[in-house]
Amino acid sequence: MIQTLEWTEQGVRFLDQTKLPTQEIYLTCKTYEQVADAIRTMIVRGAPAIGVAAAMGIALGVRASKAETVGELKRDLDRICEVIGRTRPTAVNLFWAIQRMKEKFEGLQIRSLAHIQGELIGEAQRMHAEDIAANQAMGRHGAGLMPSSGGVLTHCNAGALATAGYGTALGVIRAAVAQGKKIHVYADETRPFLQGARLTAWELMKDGIPTTVISDNMAGAMMKQGKIAAIVVGADRIAANGDVANKIGTYSVAVLAQENHLPFYVAAPLSTVDLACPDGSQIPIEQRNPEEVSHIAGKQMVPDGVAVENPAFDVTPSKYVAAIITERGIARPPYAQSLRQFAGAEANLEV
Ligand code: MRU
């Protein structure tokens, strides 16, 4: 099984995703600042993985605190959360994880420093296990939506590498394949960071799931030629009305799916649903270094002095989304109601 990230006594161990697919290198972050850097530089990426990494980073920072009172530890916790919260703005799982760690701190009855530190480490590890369980549940719910045979297109990487394990969109595909469905995955390469070409293809190849990488601008032609039966992607933040922020290019895929009468599905845990955000226009979109676009493998592709944009995400309006697969079931339009119902339901997951 792919170990995207894990808690160890020495620190948080990550599979360095910037080195894939040619090198499988693990590194251990021993401080919360190093964890923040790992999130910022995309050593770890993907909304659920960012959330779990943030929780583990907070646990690491609190464990190393020199505080002598609970009040001092609380001040340290706030500072750690602020540093980690400044890494990447779009995936709401980051802020969900920070909030959950703060609430854990506040809710503790016995408040010796060692007790708090131990409990926060435990909470981060629980979030890791819960994320895998949520992905497996999404797989169980979503597998039925996948065709019994045919092509399934995905964009970016919403797999084991983007989560604590198993994946959201790729979890649904994995579960469908485990049921005997003959799925061939079409992976958009996902310019400019190439999560599809480097990461999705790598992890599906490891699982023996047939995969073809296409450049992003081929998706429409593949749909038109009848090679695609359905689309499934992940999400970084889902607004209360069902608008979906996901990797840049997702919106184009959704529009193309509608034009070609193909179902466009989103798979995401409820930690990705932001009920405080009314619609997609309110979702902050991360702008990354333009060099990720202007240069390919270190080689300049754009003339000096020409403007380059690099928004890391876009928003797909909910009208294009046929269903949102969550760990508590499949949400259908109108999402303002179905998402609220799922998010309010009692957790019922086995860890
Ligand atoms: O910039 P990234 O690689 O962190 O973006 C990741 C995505 O857009 C994924 O599709 C999303 O986080 C869902 S991951 C289960």
Side-chain angles (χ1 to χ4, degrees):
M1 184 162 141
I2 293 165
Q3 245 340 321
T4 304
L5 76 169
E6 87 184 297
W7 176 267
T8 72
E9 269 316 297
Q10 293 71 44
V12 189
R13 187 169 179 265
F14 293 106
L15 172 54
D16 183 348
Q17 298 193 32
T18 64
K19 302 284 191 297
L20 289 172
T22 50
Q23 289 172 287
E24 207 172 315
I25 292 173
Y26 292 84
L27 57 88
T28 301
C29 292
K30 299 199 170 83
T31 66
Y32 76 89
E33 290 98 335
Q34 288 174 357
V35 172
D37 277 344
I39 295 173
R40 194 177 302 107
T41 58
M42 293 172 71
I43 284 168
V44 62
R45 34 67 49 203
I50 290 172
V52 176
M56 288 183 172
I58 293 166
L60 207 54
V62 166
R63 187 179 71 171
S65 167
K66 300 269 186 297
E68 290 182 356
T69 65
V70 173
E72 281 172 25
L73 190 59
K74 174 74 173 67
R75 273 194 294 280
D76 280 355
L77 172 73
D78 288 343
R79 189 174 38 78
I80 294 161
C81 289
E82 211 199 298
V83 170
I84 289 183
R86 269 191 266 115
T87 49
R88 297 192 72 192
T90 304
V92 75
N93 307 60
L94 176 74
F95 308 99
W96 169 86
I98 290 172
Q99 189 57 27
R100 181 159 156 181
M101 293 298 273
K102 283 187 169 175
E103 279 168 15
K104 180 73 189 177
F105 183 102
E106 295 298 344
L108 290 172
Q109 299 296 329
I110 315 164
R111 307 196 93 204
S112 79
L113 299 187
H115 175 75
I116 295 173
Q117 287 161 333
E119 288 290 324
L120 290 188
I121 293 169
E123 188 71 358
Q125 288 173 306
R126 228 174 344 266
M127 287 157 80
H128 186 270
E130 283 175 11
D131 187 58
I132 297 174
N135 292 331
Q136 288 167 339
M138 270 177 252
R140 285 195 295 277
H141 294 304
L145 298 175
M146 295 292 102
S148 50
S149 70
V152 173
L153 179 84
T154 191
H155 189 76
C156 194
N157 172 265
L161 290 167
T163 61
Y166 200 66
T168 58
L170 296 194
V172 169
I173 290 172
R174 285 192 164 100
V177 169
Q179 287 179 0
K181 293 192 170 185
K182 302 271 173 274
I183 290 177
H184 189 108
V185 177
Y186 284 84
D188 276 349
E189 67 169 348
T190 318
R191 275 276 289 150
F193 214 71
L194 304 180
Q195 290 92 331
R198 296 189 301 108
L199 309 177
T200 296
W202 181 79
E203 64 168 272
L204 291 178
M205 186 233 356
K206 279 202 160 229
D207 270 11
I209 297 177
T211 304
T212 300
V213 173
I214 57 172
S215 63
D216 302 336
N217 50 3
M218 296 174 190
M222 296 292 150
M223 291 182 199
K224 192 117 204 304
Q225 289 164 23
K227 290 184 176 163
I228 313 289
I231 295 94
V232 61
V233 299
D236 287 84
R237 191 185 297 228
I238 301 176
N241 72 342
D243 290 351
V244 174
N246 191 48
K247 180 53 54 196
I248 190 75
T250 303
Y251 169 52
S252 321
V253 172
V255 174
L256 285 167
Q258 169 124 324
E259 167 70 16
N260 287 279
H261 312 291
L262 295 169
F264 176 88
Y265 300 118
V266 173
L270 290 160
S271 55
T272 304
V273 176
D274 184 2
L275 291 180
C277 183
D279 61 60
S281 69
Q282 305 298 306
I283 299 176
I285 301 294
E286 176 184 9
Q287 305 292 323
R288 293 188 63 86
N289 189 338
E291 275 208 7
E292 289 175 359
V293 174
S294 62
H295 290 61
I296 295 179
K299 191 170 178 333
Q300 186 175 336
M301 298 291 161
V302 179
D304 283 334
V306 172
V308 173
E309 289 214 31
N310 189 14
F313 302 96
D314 61 24
V315 174
T316 298
S318 61
K319 66 175 180 180
Y320 293 108
V321 181
I324 299 176
I325 303 155
T326 77
E327 67 271 44
R328 292 196 192 140
I330 297 173
R332 296 275 187 184
Y335 294 114
Q337 281 159 35
S338 54
L339 287 177
R340 197 163 288 276
Q341 255 166 20
F342 281 145
E346 283 301 308
N348 185 24
L349 293 172
E350 286 167 28
V351 172

